[in-house]
Amino acid sequence: MKKKKQVPEWMNSALWSTPSDHGRFDPPSPPPPPPVSVKEDSRTIPTNQNSSPPPFSSSSVSSPTASADDISRQAQAQAQAQVQLLAELSRKVIDMRELRRVASQGIPDAALRPTLWKLLLGYLPPDRALWFSELTKKRSQYKNFKDDLLMNPSEITRRMYNSNSNSAAHDIDDAKSDTQTGLLLSRSQITHQDHPLSLGKTSIWNQFFQDTEIIEQIDRDVKRTHPDIDFFSGDSHFAKSNQEALKTILIIFAKLNSGIRYVQGMNEVLAPLFYVLKNDPDEENAAFAEADTFFCFVELLSGFQDNFCQQLDNSICGIRSTITRLSQLLKEHDEELWRHLEVTTEVNPQFYAFRWITLLLTQEFNFADILHIWDVILSDPEGPQPSFFPPFWL
């Protein structure tokens, strides 16, 4: 009989047996950034009532209540991880291999998570001297995206006309007159391609109306994102502004990625990223959380975006091929479980694996545990590929 592979060492880390408080979390509006000294366990994050238990650990199974020795070992492990992470972050040039190794054991301090996730996703370069210039460039680029891609077609047409016109009709006096009349163009100044009823493929109005359907879908999905968490849901100005940020990110992503556009579920993958970066203890970073989250989201999806492309479903890089690889890995690491699922009960892998892969487990656990699980997923040097599932489950 084939000998099973041992449980990976990281799964027995005391960090995974942390007893968590799954009470209701109601962040103030807006919440003050957590101080650097605050630990993850001191923050209460809401529980999804339909979610599964926290990640498996041998110590958590043996006793529902952590003993004094367990708590002591846990505290020591957290303290050691904290020292190692701070040591890596203090380097002029960060050793990404070592950072990934330490972060894969869990990030005990929530205040470090925003910076660590940016590094693990490749948004921040290892050279700390480049951070300021890189962030400044990316944030400016995102602002330009918003200005260019979220503009009303009427304004686009008007700007195109003004920029291309060299006639004397656009002197200062006429500009004042245009302002008084609402900057409206006469019918003769509007080309057929720029007409609101144009069906041309390059028509900005035709594209605008095609985008409307996607934007409405994004709006519906964003409003349904974590309805049990006040950070994402509710009538407060803070929740509304967070919803608007999620919506804007997804719209811009859809417009820049015409091959994929928007697929339902992307909002669930985006939510943990925005939550973490918005709660950065650095006020400036928190203020630019929307821009930073957009580029981190792009980096995250770049590793498995083919799973969202329907045209690639049956290709070697599509979702069906990915599910097949996961099934093969499950058979390799735990043949008994694989046989029970696919032979005895004849459960098609797509019924349980599709959501795991495309949503990165965001629907399988409560929000607090998702953040810990993603510490491990993002620490994988190969990216969020399905290869992480067998060691995670086994």
Side-chain angles (χ1 to χ4, degrees), residues 253-391:
F253 180 86
K255 285 177 173 287
L256 291 175
N257 294 270
S258 57
I260 301 176
R261 307 283 280 171
Y262 170 76
V263 179
Q264 281 187 288
M266 286 184 176
N267 57 305
E268 301 293 347
V269 177
L270 177 63
L273 285 174
F274 182 69
Y275 177 87
V276 167
L277 301 193
K278 186 66 175 179
N279 283 285
D280 194 312
D282 184 292
E283 293 185 4
E284 182 179 4
N285 287 335
F288 285 99
E290 182 182 322
D292 294 344
T293 301
F294 170 78
F295 288 103
C296 286
F297 181 67
V298 171
E299 294 287 349
L300 178 61
L301 258 63
S302 66
F304 67 108
Q305 64 181 5
D306 289 344
N307 292 331
F308 289 99
C309 186
Q310 187 175 4
Q311 290 82 357
L312 297 177
D313 280 354
N314 296 316
S315 70
I316 193 172
C317 57
I319 184 62
R320 287 191 173 89
S321 178
T322 303
I323 291 176
T324 299
R325 292 200 304 273
L326 175 58
S327 176
Q328 293 169 348
L329 288 168
L330 180 61
K331 181 179 181 180
E332 176 185 347
H333 288 268
D334 193 333
E335 185 173 351
E336 182 180 354
L337 176 58
W338 172 86
R339 188 171 299 279
H340 172 74
L341 289 172
E342 299 194 23
V343 179
T344 305
T345 59
E346 297 183 346
V347 175
N348 192 313
Q350 71 180 24
F351 294 136
Y352 60 86
F354 182 85
R355 197 169 71 171
W356 293 359
I357 295 171
T358 56
L359 302 185
L360 294 182
L361 302 173
T362 56
Q363 297 296 291
E364 316 308 322
F365 300 90
N366 64 62
F367 199 78
D369 292 331
I370 291 170
L371 302 185
H372 287 293
I373 293 170
W374 275 33
D375 291 342
V376 179
I377 295 176
L378 300 184
S379 299
D380 189 338
E382 299 299 325
Q385 300 296 322
S387 58
F388 78 84
F389 282 105

Side-chain angles (χ1 to χ4, degrees), residues 99-110:
L99 185 72
R100 290 183 183 280
R101 185 192 68 80
V102 179
S104 67
Q105 304 298 315
I107 300 174
D109 191 340

